Amino acid sequence: MPKLLTRGARLVLNTLLPPTCAACGTEVMTEGAFCGTCFQAARRIVAPCCHRCGVPLENEGLGGTQNCCAACQAHPPLWRAARAAFVYDAWSRRLILPLKYSYHTENAAVLARQMAASGEELLKNATVVVPVPLYRTRLWKRRYNQAALMAQAISRLAGLPCVVDALQRVRPTRALARLSAGEREQEMEQAVRVRKGRDVRIQGQAVLLVDDVLTTGSTATACTAALMKAGAASVDILVAARTGRVDEQNPRFVQE
């Protein structure tokens, strides 16, 4: 009976306020769906992509027998595997930035569905979902952690527990967007730890770490190090979008 009431209420709401495209606002048939134009414009990351960092590859040959990009072969990341739903470009920013800065928290559920589809294999191996944390002053100003909203939505879709406050930023860090890879790594050094008392929820677990964007991996590395120190059996990364590194492996994915 409650399900019937919910469906009926949703039908009435959709009649009064028709669902719109999550990316551009055009009217669509289903809540959370993309219109035809945006569906075609979305640059989803599908195979071939690097198993370790999730970066899209031009062809399968570039991944080699390990399905791994040259950068990860030379310098393997601390985490086990990573996947992203979209390339981080002008299109995906229309979903991510309003969620991050403009209180469009409804975008978290939209992105979570796409992330869950892209990270299906990671979710099969995961036993707990953990979001990348914000420092307390930034959280107070923003009023929510976008990574936590996505992590909670993914945990519901996958039927996995989510420990929202497992990780803690112990000091403020500068915004990383304008920093070089080396500066990001230095900025994030010793900036994250597992919150006191939460290590019992992490020990022996296959952790799925959730964030909005994966760029150089400095934040993901700091979080992974803290989780592994607390006894996590493994850490995988699932993000809404991945920047396409500009190198010989990815000539078509130029950052905008």
Side-chain angles (χ1 to χ4, degrees), residues 3-246:
K3 287 186 177 180
L4 292 175
L5 290 174
T6 301
R7 289 172 184 170
R10 187 173 298 166
L11 180 61
V12 172
L13 183 60
N14 286 347
T15 301
L16 297 174
L17 297 170
T20 57
C21 172
C24 73
T26 301
E27 189 172 319
V28 293
M29 295 295 294
T30 307
E31 185 179 353
F34 299 120
C35 68
T37 300
C38 286
F39 185 85
Q40 293 180 354
R43 296 163 75 181
R44 289 177 171 80
I45 296 182
V46 297
C49 63
C50 176
H51 173 70
R52 295 301 302 273
C53 75
V55 75
L57 299 172
E58 182 69 15
N59 58 65
E60 290 184 1
L62 291 171
T65 57
Q66 301 178 50
N67 193 25
C68 183
C69 72
C72 286
Q73 290 182 41
H75 304 285
L78 194 58
W79 60 83
R80 182 173 59 178
R83 287 304 304 267
F86 302 106
V87 170
Y88 189 60
D89 59 6
W91 188 93
S92 61
R93 283 198 289 270
R94 287 160 63 184
L95 286 171
I96 295 170
L97 296 186
L99 165 63
K100 196 169 183 176
Y101 300 116
S102 301
Y103 304 103
H104 283 266
T105 55
E106 69 277 6
N107 287 2
V110 175
L111 289 167
R113 284 194 290 272
Q114 302 297 322
M115 294 161 69
S118 296
E120 183 178 3
E121 290 301 315
L122 301 187
L123 285 167
K124 287 179 181 178
N125 297 322
T127 58
V128 66
V129 181
V130 170
V132 168
L134 290 177
Y135 187 64
R136 60 176 180 269
T137 54
R138 190 166 295 175
L139 181 60
W140 290 338
K141 289 178 181 178
R142 195 173 294 175
R143 300 181 185 176
Y144 60 89
N145 177 1
Q146 73 280 355
L149 296 180
M150 291 186 291
Q152 289 173 309
I154 289 168
S155 73
R156 288 192 292 268
L157 290 169
L160 292 169
C162 179
V163 187
V164 177
D165 61 348
L167 291 172
Q168 177 183 24
R169 291 209 188 212
V170 297
R171 59 176 174 80
T173 54
R174 290 180 292 167
L176 303 182
R178 298 181 183 277
L179 303 182
S180 67
E183 289 172 332
R184 289 176 185 227
E185 183 177 354
Q186 185 176 13
E187 190 70 18
M188 289 305 301
E189 188 174 358
Q190 301 296 319
V192 179
R193 70 182 178 195
V194 170
R195 191 180 298 273
K196 186 177 181 180
R198 291 293 181 266
D199 53 341
V200 295
R201 303 286 303 276
I202 299 301
Q203 290 173 359
Q205 300 298 314
V207 179
L208 184 71
L209 182 69
V210 172
D211 202 4
D212 49 9
V213 181
L214 180 62
T215 306
T216 65
S218 55
T219 299
T221 297
C223 293
T224 300
L227 290 164
M228 296 299 287
K229 184 178 180 180
S234 63
V235 178
D236 292 331
I237 313 293
L238 182 59
V239 296
R242 177 73 166 98
T243 57
R245 291 200 303 269
V246 183

